[in-house]
Amino acid sequence: MPTLRAKLEFLAFPFLVITFTTLVFGFYIYTALTVDHLEALQPYMDWTAARPFVYRVFTTVAIQIVASVFFLSPEASSLVVSFLSLLGFAWAFWYLAIRFVPEQRAQQLTLAAPLALCPFFLVQRHIYDFPTLLLFTLALALLAHEKMGWYLVVLVLASFCKETSALLILFFAFHFRGRIKNYFRLLLAQIFIFGMIRVGLMWTFRNNVGQDLEFHLQDHIYFYSTNPEFSLLLFGFVFFLVGAVIYRWNAKPKFLRDAVITIALPLLVLFFFFGFPFELRIFFEAFPVLVLLCVPPSWSAEQPNANVLTA
């Protein structure tokens, strides 16, 4: 039978995950109340939000379900959905990490990952941010473990959450060609899923105000030129991150390298053309991959199965 010490060690990691996640979520609420504000919920609840925000229906439905089941206000329900999504992200990240690093390293990274999120939601936040982070990380984890059936289920949810789920299909097309059976069938299934959901959402909310894309390149040029201190801080952080990611690039798992090429780089382009300045939350979809690519290659070498997806 397991000893008391073994039981405590088994329970320590889940306890620490919950504790760290709660602390980060508390910081999220603090920044929302002191630096910026929580997003107005009513336009989402009555489906009058502007395009493209109204398309992110997964989070709205989740909030409505929580409010109905537990008799909570939409505001309280939104916080519940966000917290559970952040907690779910931690476990999804662990499931992704154990594919590439040993269990102990994966646990360490899982505790660090929520803390590393803090700079990403300082400037702006939306109700669908943490659900998007959860679903994207889980989808990547399922792809890394080649659980294709479950991945398709998560892709459906991710496509109802945010249109950036198309990047998952791009990654699949780029990375898995010639690696798995039924490649073209799975690729066509994903394109069909995303296309049907996207067309359905655009048709359903075609009369809502707004537009599908908002062009913000001029805003970037203006803000960076008029806020040199923040610009220096932002681009310094970016250069540091890029340096950590590309350090010993060829020694890192190909799965992660292909993911940063097909997910992070397109997000970078989209950020400058269609995102708001300093809105780092737009990179949530690439966050788990960026974290794992910052890990020294020696950590992956400690994981016997890490090289299965590196060739």
Side-chain angles (χ1 to χ4, degrees):
M1 294 180 62
T3 64
L4 177 61
R5 179 177 179 178
K7 292 180 179 179
L8 291 176
E9 290 178 350
F10 177 78
L11 294 174
F13 177 60
F15 174 78
L16 289 174
V17 169
I18 295 172
T19 301
F20 276 54
T21 303
T22 302
L23 290 174
V24 170
F25 191 71
F27 180 71
Y28 171 81
I29 298 299
Y30 172 79
T31 58
L33 296 177
T34 59
V35 179
D36 205 336
H37 57 83
L38 290 172
E39 191 177 17
L41 282 176
Q42 194 54 46
Y44 286 96
M45 296 299 101
D46 58 21
W47 305 105
T48 60
R51 294 176 290 149
F53 307 104
V54 71
Y55 297 148
R56 287 87 190 249
V57 302
F58 173 86
T59 306
T60 302
V61 172
I63 292 172
Q64 292 176 340
I65 291 174
V66 171
S68 300
V69 172
F70 298 100
F71 304 102
L72 298 175
S73 67
E75 291 76 16
S77 301
S78 175
L79 294 178
V80 170
V81 170
S82 292
F83 175 73
L84 292 178
S85 296
L86 183 59
L87 184 61
F89 154 73
W91 290 111
F93 181 87
W94 169 83
Y95 186 48
L96 176 63
I98 61 172
R99 185 64 183 80
F100 303 104
V101 297
E103 173 69 23
Q104 185 176 4
R105 300 293 195 187
Q107 291 183 0
Q108 295 169 355
L109 289 170
T110 300
L111 296 178
L115 297 176
L117 280 172
C118 292
F120 287 78
F121 54 69
L122 285 176
V123 175
Q124 195 178 36
R125 58 200 56 79
H126 290 287
I127 62 172
Y128 49 80
D129 286 342
F130 289 147
T132 299
L133 178 66
L134 163 63
L135 293 173
F136 222 91
T137 304
L138 182 57
L140 287 171
L142 292 168
L143 284 173
H145 290 272
E146 297 191 9
K147 305 290 185 180
M148 297 303 174
W150 286 111
Y151 161 70
L152 292 178
V153 174
V154 174
L155 178 66
V156 172
L157 300 178
S159 298
F160 277 114
C161 192
K162 196 176 179 183
E163 59 276 7
T164 49
S165 62
L167 295 177
L168 289 168
I169 305 174
L170 178 62
F171 166 68
F172 177 91
F174 184 79
H175 177 76
F176 283 99
R177 180 180 173 85
R179 292 176 178 269
I180 60 172
K181 296 179 180 179
N182 300 320
Y183 166 82
F184 286 104
R185 185 181 300 177
L186 286 169
L187 180 59
L188 290 175
Q190 293 174 69
I191 295 173
F192 177 79
I193 289 170
F194 178 83
M196 291 296 293
I197 292 174
R198 185 66 179 164
V199 170
L201 290 174
M202 294 178 69
W203 173 259
T204 300
F205 300 109
R206 64 191 183 281
N207 294 323
N208 286 50
V209 298
Q211 51 192 356
D212 292 336
L213 292 174
E214 298 178 351
F215 193 74
H216 292 292
L217 181 59
Q218 290 182 332
D219 295 328
H220 280 274
I221 297 173
Y222 172 77
F223 276 102
Y224 298 145
S225 61
T226 57
N227 296 275
E229 298 86 359
F230 285 104
S231 299
L232 182 63
L233 182 64
L234 172 64
F235 288 105
F237 170 74
V238 170
F239 283 122
F240 172 80
L241 180 62
V242 170
V245 166
I246 66 175
Y247 172 69
R248 297 187 61 190
W249 173 259
N250 290 330
K252 295 178 178 180
K254 184 169 175 33
F255 181 96
L256 301 177
R257 287 184 279 140
D258 288 348
V260 81
I261 291 171
T262 54
I263 296 174
L265 291 184
L267 283 175
L268 183 63
V269 175
L270 293 172
F271 168 66
F272 282 110
F273 281 95
F274 306 112
F276 288 100
F278 306 112
E279 192 181 14
L280 294 181
R281 48 163 288 280
I282 200 173
F283 294 100
F284 271 2
E285 288 89 335
F287 177 80
V289 173
L290 293 173
V291 171
L292 290 173
L293 278 173
C294 289
V295 169
S298 59
W299 286 23
S300 294
E302 299 171 11
Q303 171 61 286
N305 296 322
N307 292 325
V308 175
L309 294 181
T310 60

